[in-house]
Amino acid sequence: MCLTKLFSLQGQTLHISLLNETPIKSVIISSLKGPYQIIGDSTLLMTMDSNDAMYITIFEQRLLLRSSQNPLGNFATIKFVSHDTTGVIRISCVSPKIDSRQYNDNLTLSVAFERILMINDVQPDNYIAGVVDAEAGPNAGLEFYKAQSILVRTYLYGNLDRHITEGFQLCDGVHCQAYRGRAVRNPIIVQATKATSGYVVMASDSCYINAVFHANCGGETESGGNAWLNNKNYLVPVKDPFCVNSSSARWTKTISLVQWKNYLKSHGFKFTADCAPNNFEFSQITRKQYYKMERDSIPLRQIRSDFQLKSTFFSVVANAKEITLKGRGFGHGVGLCQDGAMYMAKIGYKSNDILKYYFKGIRIVNTGHLVSNK
Ligand SMILES: [Zn+2]
Ligand SMILES: [Zn+2]
């Protein structure tokens, strides 16, 4: 049971490491909206107004700071603090060169492992909207974005201490959840995140669910157990008629018969040199776990990884020269199917119905409500 974990993040600030995999040496910080106080090692240095820029470079484990006019000193930590809750700050990495990004709320810079560590001190719903924008793109409808916001929030609640030993909570890469700045491409994303504020998904044992999703399941989702040997009663296969007409629902890949035979032999398959091509054929009407020939088998997961396939959900047809993998779907196939969920939203399903379609036996819980009732 996980009941003791229930709490609310409302009114709290998250600490997200930005460009976490990048060895940042030099950045330009500017304000896009509202004045920002600049604090060097707990001393207020100045106020940065909209369109002012600050230049920060790493030097001997310190941060050198200068404005467009003057050097301002060197510091272990530099904070950019918005006067209110509406500030927007822009980060332009000079070394290495990276397209500028904009973030809500505050920023703390320090030095870690000879790079500039940039932590976005951000309100949870601002972060969640940014992740939804990065993970789901700008072209879906409100109820889809509400479902995706609830999943992103659920992951956040379950992983708040993922990087705690490094001085922040989550990174901005796919290791945690992709976050490339605030959501600016579609205002409906921010609306969806606000409309679901505080809501998370819990399993029947009152633990946060493993809030997984993928691009397209190809018509049937995969069980958590088949994908990761980690079975959950809410991650069970679901027939999905909603995604099968999307562009990523089908794929093919051709491999020479010689290469395919060599690959299978290297994994212990025993067949004679004159084994007819049709013996290599294989069919998946519903999802299977193994490619099999008589007594020999190999996990489909392994084939997917070795040949960099879009999914494990493929059949095999063969001729004298080559085999063709006829595949369905894109991604691991577990949990919410984004293409299917987008289509469900388009034809009128609500976010809670979408979540309950892909995750079985779940409850959608308002954490703010739970805490305020204590
Ligand atoms: Zn991470
Ligand atoms: Zn699907």
Side-chain angles (χ1 to χ4, degrees), residues 214-221 240 242-244 337-340 358:
H214 56 276
N216 187 301
C217 74
E220 183 188 13
T221 66
D240 184 359
F242 301 109
C243 67
V244 292
C337 166
Q338 288 180 312
D339 280 349
Y358 290 104

PDB file of all heavy atoms in Angstrom, residues 214-221 240 242-244 337-340 358, ligand 2:
ATOM      1  N   HIS A 214       3.146   5.805 -25.235  1.00  0.00           N
ATOM      2  CA  HIS A 214       3.943   5.547 -26.438  1.00  0.00           C
ATOM      3  C   HIS A 214       3.214   6.176 -27.618  1.00  0.00           C
ATOM      4  O   HIS A 214       2.056   6.581 -27.488  1.00  0.00           O
ATOM      5  CB  HIS A 214       4.107   4.030 -26.639  1.00  0.00           C
ATOM      6  CG  HIS A 214       2.790   3.335 -26.706  1.00  0.00           C
ATOM      7  ND1 HIS A 214       2.094   2.951 -25.574  1.00  0.00           N
ATOM      8  CD2 HIS A 214       2.005   3.019 -27.751  1.00  0.00           C
ATOM      9  CE1 HIS A 214       0.939   2.418 -25.934  1.00  0.00           C
ATOM     10  NE2 HIS A 214       0.849   2.445 -27.239  1.00  0.00           N
ATOM     11  N   ALA A 215       3.864   6.215 -28.774  1.00  0.00           N
ATOM     12  CA  ALA A 215       3.287   6.956 -29.908  1.00  0.00           C
ATOM     13  C   ALA A 215       2.076   6.242 -30.516  1.00  0.00           C
ATOM     14  O   ALA A 215       1.044   6.862 -30.757  1.00  0.00           O
ATOM     15  CB  ALA A 215       4.355   7.171 -30.978  1.00  0.00           C
ATOM     16  N   ASN A 216       2.200   4.947 -30.762  1.00  0.00           N
ATOM     17  CA  ASN A 216       1.124   4.222 -31.453  1.00  0.00           C
ATOM     18  C   ASN A 216       1.248   2.739 -31.130  1.00  0.00           C
ATOM     19  O   ASN A 216       2.320   2.163 -31.254  1.00  0.00           O
ATOM     20  CB  ASN A 216       1.250   4.446 -32.971  1.00  0.00           C
ATOM     21  CG  ASN A 216       0.071   3.865 -33.746  1.00  0.00           C
ATOM     22  OD1 ASN A 216      -0.201   2.662 -33.681  1.00  0.00           O
ATOM     23  ND2 ASN A 216      -0.641   4.709 -34.470  1.00  0.00           N
ATOM     24  N   CYS A 217       0.143   2.103 -30.710  1.00  0.00           N
ATOM     25  CA  CYS A 217       0.219   0.688 -30.310  1.00  0.00           C
ATOM     26  C   CYS A 217      -0.045  -0.267 -31.468  1.00  0.00           C
ATOM     27  O   CYS A 217       0.111  -1.475 -31.314  1.00  0.00           O
ATOM     28  CB  CYS A 217      -0.749   0.410 -29.158  1.00  0.00           C
ATOM     29  SG  CYS A 217      -2.484   0.369 -29.658  1.00  0.00           S
ATOM     30  N   GLY A 218      -0.489   0.231 -32.604  1.00  0.00           N
ATOM     31  CA  GLY A 218      -0.731  -0.638 -33.754  1.00  0.00           C
ATOM     32  C   GLY A 218      -2.035  -1.416 -33.671  1.00  0.00           C
ATOM     33  O   GLY A 218      -2.281  -2.307 -34.483  1.00  0.00           O
ATOM     34  N   GLY A 219      -2.875  -1.115 -32.684  1.00  0.00           N
ATOM     35  CA  GLY A 219      -4.177  -1.779 -32.580  1.00  0.00           C
ATOM     36  C   GLY A 219      -4.352  -2.616 -31.331  1.00  0.00           C
ATOM     37  O   GLY A 219      -5.459  -3.058 -31.018  1.00  0.00           O
ATOM     38  N   GLU A 220      -3.264  -2.837 -30.593  1.00  0.00           N
ATOM     39  CA  GLU A 220      -3.363  -3.569 -29.331  1.00  0.00           C
ATOM     40  C   GLU A 220      -2.201  -3.134 -28.444  1.00  0.00           C
ATOM     41  O   GLU A 220      -1.042  -3.203 -28.870  1.00  0.00           O
ATOM     42  CB  GLU A 220      -3.269  -5.081 -29.573  1.00  0.00           C
ATOM     43  CG  GLU A 220      -3.434  -5.885 -28.293  1.00  0.00           C
ATOM     44  CD  GLU A 220      -3.142  -7.371 -28.491  1.00  0.00           C
ATOM     45  OE1 GLU A 220      -2.587  -7.751 -29.532  1.00  0.00           O
ATOM     46  OE2 GLU A 220      -3.455  -8.139 -27.574  1.00  0.00           O
ATOM     47  N   THR A 221      -2.502  -2.701 -27.220  1.00  0.00           N
ATOM     48  CA  THR A 221      -1.397  -2.314 -26.337  1.00  0.00           C
ATOM     49  C   THR A 221      -0.723  -3.563 -25.765  1.00  0.00           C
ATOM     50  O   THR A 221      -1.271  -4.672 -25.802  1.00  0.00           O
ATOM     51  CB  THR A 221      -1.865  -1.391 -25.197  1.00  0.00           C
ATOM     52  OG1 THR A 221      -2.736  -2.118 -24.321  1.00  0.00           O
ATOM     53  CG2 THR A 221      -2.559  -0.148 -25.730  1.00  0.00           C
ATOM     54  N   ASP A 240      -7.193  -1.596 -29.435  1.00  0.00           N
ATOM     55  CA  ASP A 240      -7.299  -0.162 -29.704  1.00  0.00           C
ATOM     56  C   ASP A 240      -7.681   0.087 -31.162  1.00  0.00           C
ATOM     57  O   ASP A 240      -6.823   0.074 -32.046  1.00  0.00           O
ATOM     58  CB  ASP A 240      -5.948   0.503 -29.391  1.00  0.00           C
ATOM     59  CG  ASP A 240      -6.004   2.005 -29.543  1.00  0.00           C
ATOM     60  OD1 ASP A 240      -7.077   2.540 -29.902  1.00  0.00           O
ATOM     61  OD2 ASP A 240      -4.968   2.657 -29.304  1.00  0.00           O
ATOM     62  N   PHE A 242      -8.676   2.920 -32.189  1.00  0.00           N
ATOM     63  CA  PHE A 242      -8.640   4.369 -32.410  1.00  0.00           C
ATOM     64  C   PHE A 242      -7.369   4.851 -33.105  1.00  0.00           C
ATOM     65  O   PHE A 242      -7.324   5.974 -33.592  1.00  0.00           O
ATOM     66  CB  PHE A 242      -8.794   5.099 -31.069  1.00  0.00           C
ATOM     67  CG  PHE A 242     -10.077   4.772 -30.355  1.00  0.00           C
ATOM     68  CD1 PHE A 242     -10.075   4.006 -29.201  1.00  0.00           C
ATOM     69  CD2 PHE A 242     -11.294   5.203 -30.858  1.00  0.00           C
ATOM     70  CE1 PHE A 242     -11.246   3.696 -28.539  1.00  0.00           C
ATOM     71  CE2 PHE A 242     -12.482   4.895 -30.208  1.00  0.00           C
ATOM     72  CZ  PHE A 242     -12.470   4.130 -29.045  1.00  0.00           C
ATOM     73  N   CYS A 243      -6.314   4.020 -33.110  1.00  0.00           N
ATOM     74  CA  CYS A 243      -5.034   4.500 -33.653  1.00  0.00           C
ATOM     75  C   CYS A 243      -4.673   3.883 -34.992  1.00  0.00           C
ATOM     76  O   CYS A 243      -3.669   4.251 -35.581  1.00  0.00           O
ATOM     77  CB  CYS A 243      -3.909   4.190 -32.664  1.00  0.00           C
ATOM     78  SG  CYS A 243      -3.593   2.429 -32.467  1.00  0.00           S
ATOM     79  N   VAL A 244      -5.484   2.927 -35.472  1.00  0.00           N
ATOM     80  CA  VAL A 244      -5.008   2.095 -36.585  1.00  0.00           C
ATOM     81  C   VAL A 244      -4.966   2.825 -37.922  1.00  0.00           C
ATOM     82  O   VAL A 244      -4.332   2.347 -38.864  1.00  0.00           O
ATOM     83  CB  VAL A 244      -5.835   0.795 -36.699  1.00  0.00           C
ATOM     84  CG1 VAL A 244      -5.574  -0.102 -35.503  1.00  0.00           C
ATOM     85  CG2 VAL A 244      -7.326   1.102 -36.822  1.00  0.00           C
ATOM     86  N   CYS A 337      -1.771   4.975 -25.538  1.00  0.00           N
ATOM     87  CA  CYS A 337      -1.368   5.106 -26.948  1.00  0.00           C
ATOM     88  C   CYS A 337      -1.708   6.536 -27.368  1.00  0.00           C
ATOM     89  O   CYS A 337      -2.877   6.924 -27.382  1.00  0.00           O
ATOM     90  CB  CYS A 337      -2.141   4.084 -27.775  1.00  0.00           C
ATOM     91  SG  CYS A 337      -2.087   4.347 -29.557  1.00  0.00           S
ATOM     92  N   GLN A 338      -0.685   7.334 -27.677  1.00  0.00           N
ATOM     93  CA  GLN A 338      -0.947   8.762 -27.945  1.00  0.00           C
ATOM     94  C   GLN A 338      -1.826   8.967 -29.180  1.00  0.00           C
ATOM     95  O   GLN A 338      -2.746   9.782 -29.153  1.00  0.00           O
ATOM     96  CB  GLN A 338       0.364   9.528 -28.104  1.00  0.00           C
ATOM     97  CG  GLN A 338       1.113   9.700 -26.781  1.00  0.00           C
ATOM     98  CD  GLN A 338       2.408  10.457 -26.955  1.00  0.00           C
ATOM     99  OE1 GLN A 338       3.200  10.157 -27.842  1.00  0.00           O
ATOM    100  NE2 GLN A 338       2.648  11.439 -26.103  1.00  0.00           N
ATOM    101  N   ASP A 339      -1.543   8.233 -30.265  1.00  0.00           N
ATOM    102  CA  ASP A 339      -2.381   8.412 -31.466  1.00  0.00           C
ATOM    103  C   ASP A 339      -3.827   8.032 -31.176  1.00  0.00           C
ATOM    104  O   ASP A 339      -4.764   8.718 -31.599  1.00  0.00           O
ATOM    105  CB  ASP A 339      -1.862   7.542 -32.625  1.00  0.00           C
ATOM    106  CG  ASP A 339      -0.666   8.165 -33.328  1.00  0.00           C
ATOM    107  OD1 ASP A 339      -0.370   9.346 -33.068  1.00  0.00           O
ATOM    108  OD2 ASP A 339      -0.022   7.462 -34.132  1.00  0.00           O
ATOM    109  N   GLY A 340      -4.028   6.923 -30.456  1.00  0.00           N
ATOM    110  CA  GLY A 340      -5.385   6.494 -30.123  1.00  0.00           C
ATOM    111  C   GLY A 340      -6.082   7.491 -29.210  1.00  0.00           C
ATOM    112  O   GLY A 340      -7.257   7.830 -29.403  1.00  0.00           O
ATOM    113  N   TYR A 358      -7.113   3.030 -21.332  1.00  0.00           N
ATOM    114  CA  TYR A 358      -5.769   2.447 -21.494  1.00  0.00           C
ATOM    115  C   TYR A 358      -5.191   1.867 -20.205  1.00  0.00           C
ATOM    116  O   TYR A 358      -4.291   1.031 -20.258  1.00  0.00           O
ATOM    117  CB  TYR A 358      -4.806   3.492 -22.071  1.00  0.00           C
ATOM    118  CG  TYR A 358      -5.121   3.826 -23.513  1.00  0.00           C
ATOM    119  CD1 TYR A 358      -5.751   5.012 -23.867  1.00  0.00           C
ATOM    120  CD2 TYR A 358      -4.824   2.930 -24.527  1.00  0.00           C
ATOM    121  CE1 TYR A 358      -6.055   5.311 -25.187  1.00  0.00           C
ATOM    122  CE2 TYR A 358      -5.125   3.198 -25.854  1.00  0.00           C
ATOM    123  CZ  TYR A 358      -5.744   4.393 -26.178  1.00  0.00           C
ATOM    124  OH  TYR A 358      -6.045   4.657 -27.483  1.00  0.00           O
TER     125      TYR A 358
HETATM  126 ZN    ZN B   2      -3.159   2.458 -30.233  1.00  0.00          ZN
END
